[in-house]
Amino acid sequence: MAYTDLREFVDALEKHKELKRVPFEVDPVLEITEFADRSVKSGGPALLFEKPKGSTIPVLINAFASERRMQIALEVDSVDDVARRISEFLEMRMPEGLLGKLKMLPKLAEMGAFFPKIVSSGPCKDVIRREDFSLDYFPILKCWPEDGGRFVTLPMVFSKNPDTGKRNCGCYRLQVFDERTTGMHWQTHKQGAEHYRRMRARGETKRMDVAVAIGADPATMYSAILPLPPDLDEMMIAGFLRQKPVEMVKCETVDIEVPAQAEIVLEGHVELGELRREGPFGDHTGFYSLEDDYPVFHVTCVTHRKNPIYATTIVGPPPMEDFYMGKAIERIFLPLMRLQLPEVRDIAMPAEGIFHNLILVAIRKSYPGHARKVMHAIWGLGQAMFSKCIVVVDEDVDVQNTSEVAWKALNNIDPERDIQFVMGPVDSLDHASRLANYGSKMGVDATRKWPEEGFTRPWPGVIKMSEEVRRRVDEMWKRAGLK
Ligand SMILES: Cc1cc2nc3c(=O)[nH]c(=O)nc-3n(C[C@H](O)[C@H](O)[C@H](O)COP(=O)(O)O)c2cc1C
Ligand SMILES: [Mn+2]
């Protein structure tokens, strides 16, 4: 049964002993970060701070911050189950004959059940504040000592493509500038930034409507970070994940819809052309993102539930909560990647690589230069374009085992021959690239080299003891009193 809202998810976490309430006062300035960081690094629970200093609204953090919590969030025993459901849909073809077509009906009906549903009202409208509101009312974290201020870190930012009218929802942090204004940190490659650019290019209006929802059922919250193709509605994917449509409700002051069950909604607009210094911010690279100019979000109305919960996260030196969210993305998106690249057997993004710095790819190699084809395909695949280092190995290497990859890949390469550099877009958070958003990337072909690739020396096998000897020693091992 799909979670209706954030509260039901909190209850589920509590039932599974995955949540700890902190009943005394803790400061959202730095102290909550220290709690959350220690908890995630020690395999601790999600935390619900009931008395954040300076606010009456409780703070939920680390709700997705373990493999188990991601399973609870998506209501599966393994996130591979989600991947499996996606694969089934992808394999769905119109079958031959009437009987086959009839058998398809339930699947098609299931698909129809994913589309978001507009409803006339919802709990996010329990309290509507058109005049009397201030962002100071919320327990917004200052995450790290050198941060430029307080940041909303887990928002669902809704905007519309001015050309197609299609909705987008992305998680872009908001730096609080004052009671009613924040930064709007959509990086240049993201959909919010694209909507903004298109709107500016049209030159018809000076304002872009934006609405920010904070806290909802977990699948809806999670959909905001998914690297979906442009114009694919995150709310539809949320419906697929929770197997129930997301109920959407119109905003009071802007032409945008938000999840009706959201805890908090900030309605407002971005003034086209207005930029303001944003940052620094202790980012998910584990370094501070430097200050930069970003659009400004003007809040014009706040709506919220009775007794709202403020959902947030922190990013910083890995692994943090976003690592577990990203790990699930890796699993869920593998079948989609394999649509284009069926030779890919598995991929892994180890925590130290912060997603964009390192992707390990195992392929079934079929022709000369195959590893390089896969690298280029990944650099051309949505947000995977940011991959700073792609290491391609043969399918017998377990990419989930980073140490095995390091061992085998480092043995297998002749660096000058097997490492390839390309120029292209890089993640906005890359602090080492020569220019912001533009720099070099590296592909490592760590597959076994073929004669057809000009390698004519013999290639050695990996050392392995014979099964027969292993069995003999199993028995002698015990006889020798070894454990
Ligand atoms: C905790 C967290 C914070 C994030 N903050 C930002 C951010 O401030 N700016 C940004 O562009 N992307 C940020 N992202 C990544 C985007 O949410 C992600 O790239 C998403 O796919 C963007 O959606 P879009 O393709 O619809 O633009 C963040 C992700 C997470 C998990
Ligand atoms: Mn999107």
Side-chain angles (χ1 to χ4, degrees):
M1 273 295 283
Y3 301 110
T4 306
D5 52 23
L6 186 62
R7 288 127 203 262
E8 286 191 10
F9 180 42
V10 168
D11 290 345
L13 290 172
E14 205 156 22
K15 203 180 89 214
H16 288 96
K17 304 206 173 356
E18 289 283 339
L19 181 116
K20 178 97 185 131
R21 290 173 184 269
V22 181
F24 51 84
E25 187 175 274
V26 179
D27 200 336
V29 174
L30 305 181
E31 286 179 1
I32 288 183
T33 295
E34 182 60 19
F35 267 92
D37 188 27
R38 283 193 204 184
S39 186
V40 70
K41 299 265 195 317
S42 61
L47 300 168
L48 187 69
F49 293 92
E50 295 180 324
K51 290 201 181 120
K53 189 173 174 185
S55 178
T56 52
I57 300 172
V59 175
L60 176 69
I61 197 163
N62 282 355
F64 299 92
S66 73
E67 201 182 328
R68 182 73 193 112
R69 264 165 265 156
M70 277 308 310
Q71 292 162 355
I72 297 170
L74 300 176
E75 298 176 275
V76 289
D77 296 325
S78 153
V79 289
D80 290 326
D81 295 350
V82 180
R84 216 164 294 127
R85 273 185 66 219
I86 293 176
S87 297
E88 276 171 24
F89 265 98
L90 296 175
E91 279 160 20
M92 193 167 77
R93 259 176 248 108
M94 202 35 104
E96 296 295 309
L98 188 61
L99 200 64
K101 286 195 174 77
L102 285 174
K103 277 189 189 152
M104 283 279 290
L105 284 177
K107 273 251 167 286
L108 290 176
E110 195 187 330
M111 213 152 86
F114 304 153
F115 289 97
K117 205 165 91 189
I118 301 278
V119 295
S120 57
S121 191
C124 73
K125 308 278 191 187
D126 283 351
V127 180
I128 299 175
R129 299 174 181 271
R130 292 167 187 275
E131 307 290 337
D132 151 42
F133 67 85
S134 162
L135 294 172
D136 292 344
Y137 178 63
F138 300 105
I140 302 173
L141 306 194
K142 179 180 177 186
C143 301
W144 297 100
E146 289 169 40
D147 281 3
R150 299 187 297 140
F151 287 82
V152 177
T153 53
L154 200 54
M156 292 165 266
V157 178
F158 288 89
S159 60
K160 278 188 185 161
N161 181 331
D163 298 333
T164 63
K166 293 213 167 126
R167 155 168 59 225
N168 189 70
C169 173
C171 172
Y172 320 122
R173 71 175 185 239
L174 312 170
Q175 178 175 357
V176 177
F177 291 141
D178 61 44
E179 287 185 16
R180 295 186 177 198
T181 25
T182 77
M184 179 52 78
H185 190 262
W186 47 46
Q187 294 155 4
T188 190
H189 315 97
K190 308 299 171 71
Q191 285 312 299
E194 180 62 19
H195 293 178
Y196 174 88
R197 267 191 299 272
R198 289 198 192 185
M199 211 144 207
R200 269 199 96 181
R202 286 160 74 107
E204 292 159 12
T205 118
K206 284 190 76 244
R207 288 181 167 188
M208 168 177 171
D209 285 353
V210 175
V212 174
I214 303 168
D217 74 275
T220 300
M221 289 174 72
Y222 185 61
S223 73
I225 74 158
L226 297 180
L228 302 179
D231 279 359
L232 183 56
D233 186 0
E234 278 79 6
M235 295 304 104
M236 207 262 281
I237 300 301
F240 173 86
L241 290 174
R242 66 201 291 268
Q243 304 192 51
K244 200 175 172 194
V246 181
E247 293 185 346
M248 304 293 288
V249 65
K250 282 195 180 313
C251 284
E252 298 298 306
T253 60
V254 290
D255 181 24
I256 307 253
E257 302 88 42
V258 287
Q261 300 285 346
E263 295 291 322
I264 299 164
V265 178
L266 312 177
E267 302 183 4
H269 61 267
V270 165
E271 204 81 48
L272 300 179
E274 183 190 14
L275 297 178
R276 190 162 160 180
R277 282 264 109 164
E278 198 265 6
F281 177 68
D283 226 315
H284 77 163
T285 54
F287 291 80
Y288 283 98
S289 285
L290 304 177
E291 289 180 307
D292 201 356
D293 290 336
Y294 272 90
V296 181
F297 178 49
H298 297 272
V299 184
T300 53
C301 176
V302 172
T303 77
H304 60 83
R305 297 178 67 128
K306 275 191 213 105
N307 306 316
I309 300 171
Y310 177 74
T312 194
T313 187
I314 53 157
V315 291
M320 286 289 196
E321 182 165 19
D322 61 330
F323 167 70
Y324 295 97
M325 299 170 98
K327 192 73 193 166
I329 291 181
E330 177 196 293
R331 295 295 91 200
I332 293 170
F333 279 71
L334 183 58
L336 295 165
M337 183 184 257
R338 292 188 56 183
L339 263 190
Q340 288 227 35
L341 298 170
E343 62 269 58
V344 169
R345 311 309 295 169
D346 198 9
I347 59 166
M349 291 180 267
E352 298 78 3
I354 325 289
F355 314 118
H356 62 274
N357 285 336
L358 182 62
I359 168 163
L360 311 176
V361 188
I363 64 163
R364 176 170 294 166
K365 181 166 165 176
S366 302
Y367 44 78
H370 201 157
R372 290 173 195 251
K373 176 261 194 175
V374 169
M375 292 169 199
H376 288 283
I378 291 174
W379 283 321
L381 204 63
Q383 291 185 41
M385 69 175 157
F386 301 131
S387 305
K388 176 141 83 170
C389 180
I390 301 177
V391 180
V392 184
V393 292
D394 287 308
E395 62 180 321
D396 58 335
V397 181
D398 176 11
V399 290
Q400 302 303 329
N401 182 344
T402 312
S403 113
E404 180 182 343
V405 175
W407 158 45
K408 290 184 175 165
L410 292 166
N411 268 299
N412 281 2
I413 57 168
D414 172 324
E416 194 190 26
R417 182 194 60 204
D418 295 331
I419 295 178
Q420 159 155 22
F421 298 109
V422 298
M423 290 296 295
V426 300
D427 198 292
S428 298
L429 300 185
D430 191 308
H431 59 241
S433 58
R434 63 208 75 187
L435 291 169
N437 301 315
Y438 183 58
S440 72
K441 295 175 270 195
M442 178 171 88
V444 182
D445 175 359
T447 59
R448 172 183 183 153
K449 301 303 161 332
W450 289 6
E452 295 88 333
E453 293 171 324
F455 188 84
T456 49
R457 297 172 61 206
W459 192 277
V462 171
I463 300 168
K464 218 174 154 201
M465 184 47 69
S466 75
E467 269 309 307
E468 190 206 334
V469 172
R470 286 173 61 85
R471 268 197 304 276
R472 278 211 306 275
V473 172
D474 278 348
E475 192 269 323
M476 289 191 282
W477 187 260
K478 282 190 211 118
R479 215 171 351 128
L482 295 162
K483 282 207 185 104

